[in-house]
């Protein structure tokens, strides 16, 4: 192989993963299949008695301490009775498998499989989803996390870092005036958030119906890859953002149902409630920044004048609705 080739991400064959997880106390494996590629690679493992998920973390995305932070949080939630996909230890009593991939060291973890399917968005399910997040926030309030995550869900993570990736694109495709318009909106959001007393605590970080399954009326949560300590209101706002972007015809009634479910478990302060529209804008910026930063996942064919103009329009529309 040419030593000058730079390898960013390899896809490990499922047969290798199947041999790797034999080192776990599970029943004989019937089948192992590659399930999905994203910021991490996901495999589904079927045994004689059960189904599991194996996540192979992307090299350079999360370091060992960051992954152990996530697993520590999930394990504590599971021990408190939360319905979450949880990790299994291997025969060495370790959660992490290590793979020396061509691009560098990668870590893998075996998780329980969340039965069922993605919940449809309707008022009943939205109320249940809100209640699930309320319970998660309540159950995690007494956490003692033993590892460094490497980031918090704060202004830097949601706004400053993403803008550093987005700004060059805006300048290239739309010019300096559009770039300044985005930065002005970001500064307005930061100023308004600074005036509020916002609750800080453990957050899932990506809480919407794509990261949960429903089975016999019960929700089970998975994919804590974006979890960290940060603004609880942001965690709530992500579900509102999901409704706005993917279920706009049902937004009002389902958002009302979500809030009813959440506040039946725990209350939101007035400052947290007022900050929710601001975190819609923050979510848009964080997501575009993450996509831009990880072009080996999403590619660059979506980066064009039309897409970026729509992004700026969304930010401006958010601000108009807030006023």
């Amino acid at each position: 192989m040419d030593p000058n080739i730079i390898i960013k991400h390899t896809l490990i064959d499922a047969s290798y993963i199947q041999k790797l997880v034999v080192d776990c106390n599970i029943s004989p494996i019937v089948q192992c299949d590659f399930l999905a590629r994203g910021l991490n690679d996901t495999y589904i493992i079927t045994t004689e008695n059960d189904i599991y998920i194996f996540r192979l973390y992307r090299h350079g995305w999360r370091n060992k301490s960051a992954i152990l932070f996530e697993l520590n949080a999930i394990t504590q939630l599971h021990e408190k009775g939360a319905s979450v996909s949880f990790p299994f230890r291997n025969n060495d009593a370790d959660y992490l498998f290590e793979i020396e991939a061509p691009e560098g060291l990668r870590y893998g973890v075996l998780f329980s499989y969340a039965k069922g399917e993605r919940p449809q968005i309707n008022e009943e399910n939205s109320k249940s989803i809100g209640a699930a997040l309320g319970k998660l926030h309540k159950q995690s309030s007494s956490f003692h996390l033993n590892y460094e995550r490497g980031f918090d869900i704060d202004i830097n993570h949601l706004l400053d870092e993403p803008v550093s990736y987005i700004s060059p694109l805006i300048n290239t495709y739309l010019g300096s005036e559009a770039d300044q318009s985005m930065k002005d909106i970001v500064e307005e959001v930061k100023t308004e958030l600074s005036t509020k007393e916002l609750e800080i605590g453990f957050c899932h970080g990506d809480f919407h119906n794509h990261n949960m399954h429903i089975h016999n009326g019960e929700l089970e949560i998975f994919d804590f890859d974006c979890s960290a300590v940060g603004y609880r209101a942001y965690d709530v706002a992500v579900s509102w953002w999901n409704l706005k972007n993917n279920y706009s015809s049902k937004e009002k009634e389902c958002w009302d149902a979500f809030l009813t479910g959440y506040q039946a478990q725990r209350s939101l302060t007035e400052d947290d409630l007022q900050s929710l529209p601001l975190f819609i804008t923050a979510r848009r910026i964080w997501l575009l920044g993450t996509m831009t930063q990880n072009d080996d996942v999403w590619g660059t064919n979506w980066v064009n004048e039309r897409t970026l103009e729509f992004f700026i329009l969304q930010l401006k529309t958010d601000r108009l609705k807030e006023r």
Side-chain angles (χ1 to χ4, degrees):
M1 188 179 78
D2 186 341
N4 295 314
I5 293 176
I6 298 173
I7 298 173
K8 295 187 70 175
H9 182 66
T10 55
L11 179 62
I12 307 299
D13 191 79
S15 62
Y16 181 86
I17 303 300
Q18 180 169 338
K19 293 175 183 176
L20 193 68
V21 298
V22 168
D23 189 29
C24 279
N25 188 25
I26 59 177
S27 57
I29 297 171
V30 175
Q31 191 169 345
C32 177
D33 295 301
F34 177 66
L35 185 63
R37 167 173 279 190
L39 288 169
N40 304 295
D41 293 334
T42 305
Y43 300 79
I44 185 166
I45 296 170
T46 305
T47 72
E48 292 180 354
N49 300 322
D50 219 333
I51 301 175
Y52 301 87
I53 289 294
F54 187 85
R55 171 185 281 171
L56 186 55
Y57 290 82
R58 183 174 290 255
H59 173 71
W61 174 241
R62 301 283 187 239
N63 63 25
K64 184 174 183 178
S65 176
I67 296 170
L68 290 173
F69 173 101
E70 176 188 340
L71 302 182
N72 185 219
I74 295 170
T75 300
Q76 290 187 62
L77 283 169
H78 177 61
E79 290 171 350
K80 290 176 180 290
S83 184
V84 294
S85 171
F86 56 90
F88 288 87
R89 296 183 187 272
N90 58 34
N91 289 338
D92 294 326
D94 192 352
Y95 287 118
L96 300 182
F97 294 85
E98 295 186 359
I99 295 179
E100 289 289 352
E103 66 270 30
L105 182 63
R106 298 179 65 180
Y107 295 100
V109 178
L110 185 70
F111 289 93
S112 64
Y113 178 75
K115 295 180 181 178
E117 58 188 18
R118 182 186 302 170
Q120 296 182 355
I121 289 297
N122 53 45
E123 288 187 60
E124 180 181 2
N125 284 346
S126 294
K127 185 176 181 181
S128 297
I129 292 169
L133 183 59
K135 287 179 183 177
L136 187 151
H137 284 173
K138 185 163 56 177
Q139 290 167 325
S140 62
S141 290
S142 58
F143 268 9
H144 297 286
L145 296 164
N146 302 319
Y147 300 92
E148 292 294 325
R149 185 54 158 163
F151 66 92
D152 292 328
I153 300 176
D154 57 11
I155 294 298
N156 183 59
H157 180 71
L158 296 175
L159 295 172
D160 292 338
E161 285 185 1
V163 165
S164 72
Y165 291 104
I166 299 168
S167 181
L169 293 180
I170 300 293
N171 267 297
T172 299
Y173 286 89
L174 304 181
S176 59
E177 186 175 338
D179 181 49
Q180 189 58 52
S181 178
M182 174 189 67
K183 289 177 178 176
D184 288 344
I185 290 170
V186 168
E187 289 305 314
E188 289 175 10
V189 170
K190 289 164 68 173
T191 297
E192 291 191 36
L193 288 174
S194 70
T195 67
K196 303 184 185 304
E197 292 289 334
L198 300 176
E199 182 187 2
I200 303 296
F202 176 80
C203 298
H204 179 278
D206 200 21
F207 196 88
H208 52 80
N209 69 319
H210 289 231
N211 287 330
M212 59 190 69
H213 281 166
I214 189 168
H215 180 67
N216 293 333
E218 296 294 322
L219 290 172
E220 186 165 340
I221 314 303
F222 52 84
D223 195 358
F224 284 75
D225 187 44
C226 294
S227 65
V229 173
Y231 295 119
R232 286 274 176 76
Y234 172 78
D235 226 16
V236 174
V238 168
S239 286
W240 192 8
W241 161 86
N242 182 48
L243 293 174
K244 283 180 175 293
N245 281 271
N246 300 315
Y247 308 94
S248 57
S249 64
K250 304 176 182 180
E251 177 193 343
K252 186 181 186 308
E253 61 267 31
C254 289
W255 175 236
D256 289 344
F258 177 95
L259 280 180
T260 297
Y262 184 93
Q263 297 202 95
Q265 297 297 322
R266 64 191 307 276
S267 61
L268 285 166
T269 68
E270 188 60 31
D271 275 1
D272 281 317
L273 283 167
Q274 289 179 3
S275 74
L276 294 175
L278 299 169
F279 284 122
I280 296 289
T281 301
R283 173 66 177 192
R284 297 193 198 282
I285 293 168
W286 173 85
L287 181 60
L288 189 65
T290 301
M291 292 176 69
T292 302
Q293 179 186 3
N294 297 280
D295 59 5
D296 57 332
V297 179
W298 286 283
T300 57
N301 65 330
W302 59 272
V303 180
N304 53 57
E305 184 175 328
R306 182 178 178 183
T307 299
L308 296 173
E309 281 180 341
F310 183 61
F311 168 71
I312 296 294
L313 178 62
Q314 285 182 314
L315 300 189
K316 291 179 177 179
T317 302
D318 288 344
R319 297 301 295 148
L320 288 172
K321 288 181 178 179
E322 289 164 24
R323 294 184 176 119

